Amino acid sequence: MNKKTVHDIDVENKRVLVRCDFNVPLNDEGVITNDLRIQAALPTIRYLLEHNAAVILCSHLGRPKGKPVDSLRLDPVADRLTTLLDRTVRKLDQVVGPMVTEAVEAMHPGDVLLLENTRFEAGEEANDRELSEDLAALADVYVNDAFGAAHRAHATTVGVAELLPAAAGLLMAEEIEMLSTALNDPKHPLVVILGGAKISDKIGVIENLLTKAEHILIGGGMANTFFRAKGYEMGDSLVEEGSVDTARDLMERASDKLVLPVDVVVADAFNADAETQIVEPDNVESGWRILDIGPRTVELFTENISEAGTVIWNGPMGVFEMEPFAEGTFAIAKALAKADAMSVIGGGDSASAVEEAGVSEAISHVSTGGGASLEFLEGRELPGVAALDDK
Ligand code: ADP
Ligand code: MG
């Protein structure tokens, strides 16, 4: 990576503003239901503390739209951090302002502060200059560890990076390293697995990977639009009529690379108690819908994966949220875990699926960034990365 990381800058006795991605899921009682993103930020925070920095953490949570929303305060994050770091993490109730300035001025090396949800300030999403200046005034150095927010040009991801020495945190560096190796310097054959609901969400990814990959395996709802382009009846399956031409064009350009399902699981309703059947894709009857790939497809895809040097996966193979339609997705996750290939997962739902399948540990890299990983796979430069200082 051509950007500076925390290893390349002097943080000793400095005040360091760290943008993290603490955008964690909360239940109705405001309890964190999955703290992976908090865990993923610990190496950078620990590194800074070991090097005698005073650490000022900040993050957004949810979509408060520029004003305080009590249910989106960062107190539960501060509590979890206090437990995980085994050190008091003091949470402030504002993002900037006299109270924040005072608290920051009283900091000593080894102290950790957490600012309030940055999206309580309207200037955050607007990348407002004044907010960026107020934030920059708090610290000597800025570190961005929020890969999941790197596709947004906001005050805490871009504005402040332009005003202070700016380096990538360790999570950010790892994300970029792994994703760019898979994308730009993969061990071949490169096999790409694409799924999810819609082809229109993934056109940019398909286009960018079409020339790089040897095989592109298509599953999930996305496959239905390809089947429609072949003239198959899709019953009640999800089909994007507006993208049928795109699917046809892709098949014409890359017929040798695209691998479509050879069997599918169909259901007579969109629920977990529905009647199901395994059929060939050109045999979907009216009243039925495709909700997963079938066992012969799992076998076909598994064979491809076992011969791969690198695998990039985005998008579940079926409606994995419902148990009867999760089998295809979980089987592919397990095939990936078993393969010798370097394996990289992008996309929020795909990451959850791999976690639910219980194989995250056996995957080379599961990205913490949903939207950011997709934009990266599209080959786009992420503004939060571009704003960091070059090496
Ligand atoms: P990611 O977040 O990993 O990028 P997507 O958001 O593109 O993935 O797709 C995930 C969604 O796609 C899931 O909610 C899943 O239920 C849905 N999906 C997968 N296969 C089908 C299908 N055959 N029909 C309808 N929805 C599907
Ligand atoms: Mg998704």
Side-chain angles (χ1 to χ4, degrees), residues 196-197 201-202 314-316 321 347-350 370-371 374:
D201 290 344
K202 307 289 167 75
N314 168 257
E321 296 92 337
D349 292 299
S350 309
L374 278 188

Side-chain angles (χ1 to χ4, degrees), residues 248-382:
R248 188 175 297 115
D249 169 62
L250 286 168
M251 286 194 292
E252 275 164 18
R253 280 156 58 204
S255 59
D256 54 327
K257 290 187 177 179
L258 292 179
V259 185
L260 288 170
V262 292
D263 61 348
V264 290
V265 177
V266 292
D268 62 357
F270 190 81
N271 67 55
D273 306 319
E275 200 77 43
T276 66
Q277 267 182 292
I278 293 159
V279 300
E280 288 176 3
D282 55 353
N283 258 325
V284 179
E285 286 175 32
S286 72
W288 293 75
R289 72 211 69 209
I290 301 175
L291 295 180
D292 197 6
I293 56 172
R296 282 202 297 124
T297 305
V298 167
E299 221 172 283
L300 176 70
F301 285 9
T302 300
E303 206 175 292
N304 249 286
I305 292 165
S306 70
E307 287 162 10
T310 309
V311 181
I312 298 175
W313 182 13
N314 168 257
M317 297 290 98
V319 182
F320 75 101
E321 296 92 337
M322 292 186 222
E323 200 234 277
F325 315 112
E327 209 166 310
T329 301
F330 290 172
I332 296 302
K334 284 173 190 149
L336 215 59
K338 248 207 236 153
D340 295 328
M342 175 193 179
S343 47
V344 171
I345 315 286
D349 292 299
S350 309
S352 313
V354 166
E355 206 193 314
E356 270 175 51
V359 298
S360 300
E361 294 298 314
I363 304 290
S364 314
H365 184 69
V366 182
S367 179
T368 58
S373 63
L374 278 188
E375 290 201 18
F376 197 99
L377 294 176
E378 288 174 4
R380 289 209 252 169
E381 183 172 61
L382 306 181

Side-chain angles (χ1 to χ4, degrees), residues 164-313:
L164 285 176
L170 300 173
L171 170 64
M172 175 73 91
E174 188 194 326
E175 289 270 10
I176 295 167
E177 194 65 41
M178 296 301 279
L179 287 167
S180 55
T181 300
L183 201 57
N184 302 316
D185 190 22
K187 187 164 174 268
H188 288 276
L190 170 60
V191 173
V192 175
I193 313 169
L194 291 174
K198 295 199 218 148
I199 179 174
S200 57
D201 290 344
K202 307 289 167 75
I203 285 297
V205 180
I206 303 177
E207 287 288 353
N208 190 39
L209 292 170
L210 206 56
T211 52
K212 299 176 191 278
E214 275 78 13
H215 303 287
I216 300 183
L217 318 179
I218 307 267
M222 182 195 291
N224 305 346
T225 302
F226 286 91
F227 290 137
R228 167 71 98 241
K230 283 172 167 275
Y232 299 173
E233 290 301 329
M234 286 286 99
D236 287 348
S237 305
L238 175 72
V239 174
E240 282 182 279
E241 296 295 350
S243 296
V244 172
D245 287 343
T246 307
R248 188 175 297 115
D249 169 62
L250 286 168
M251 286 194 292
E252 275 164 18
R253 280 156 58 204
S255 59
D256 54 327
K257 290 187 177 179
L258 292 179
V259 185
L260 288 170
V262 292
D263 61 348
V264 290
V265 177
V266 292
D268 62 357
F270 190 81
N271 67 55
D273 306 319
E275 200 77 43
T276 66
Q277 267 182 292
I278 293 159
V279 300
E280 288 176 3
D282 55 353
N283 258 325
V284 179
E285 286 175 32
S286 72
W288 293 75
R289 72 211 69 209
I290 301 175
L291 295 180
D292 197 6
I293 56 172
R296 282 202 297 124
T297 305
V298 167
E299 221 172 283
L300 176 70
F301 285 9
T302 300
E303 206 175 292
N304 249 286
I305 292 165
S306 70
E307 287 162 10
T310 309
V311 181
I312 298 175
W313 182 13

Side-chain angles (χ1 to χ4, degrees), residues 51-202:
H51 289 79
N52 301 312
V55 179
I56 307 158
L57 303 170
C58 69
S59 174
H60 78 283
L61 174 63
R63 297 177 184 276
K65 304 247 161 82
K67 51 174 182 9
V69 173
D70 278 336
S71 60
L72 295 175
R73 291 194 179 275
L74 290 189
D75 300 71
V77 174
D79 290 346
R80 187 62 59 97
L81 279 166
T82 297
T83 307
L84 292 170
L85 289 168
D86 197 17
R87 164 187 315 241
T88 307
V89 174
R90 185 174 162 211
K91 148 81 178 32
L92 304 181
D93 293 334
Q94 261 112 52
V95 183
V96 289
M99 212 196 72
V100 174
T101 306
E102 196 181 311
V104 166
E105 275 169 4
M107 286 179 91
H108 299 288
D111 287 350
V112 187
L113 274 187
L114 175 62
L115 305 182
E116 187 53 277
N117 188 338
T118 55
R119 287 192 188 166
F120 286 6
E121 291 285 334
E124 164 71 325
E125 293 190 67
N127 189 12
D128 175 62
R129 178 78 187 190
E130 204 180 305
L131 177 61
S132 302
E133 281 171 355
D134 288 349
L135 286 162
L138 300 175
D140 306 303
V141 183
Y142 166 80
V143 168
N144 190 349
D145 212 19
F147 178 75
H151 58 316
R152 307 284 185 220
H154 294 168
T156 60
T157 59
V158 170
V160 70
E162 287 163 353
L163 301 171
L164 285 176
L170 300 173
L171 170 64
M172 175 73 91
E174 188 194 326
E175 289 270 10
I176 295 167
E177 194 65 41
M178 296 301 279
L179 287 167
S180 55
T181 300
L183 201 57
N184 302 316
D185 190 22
K187 187 164 174 268
H188 288 276
L190 170 60
V191 173
V192 175
I193 313 169
L194 291 174
K198 295 199 218 148
I199 179 174
S200 57
D201 290 344
K202 307 289 167 75

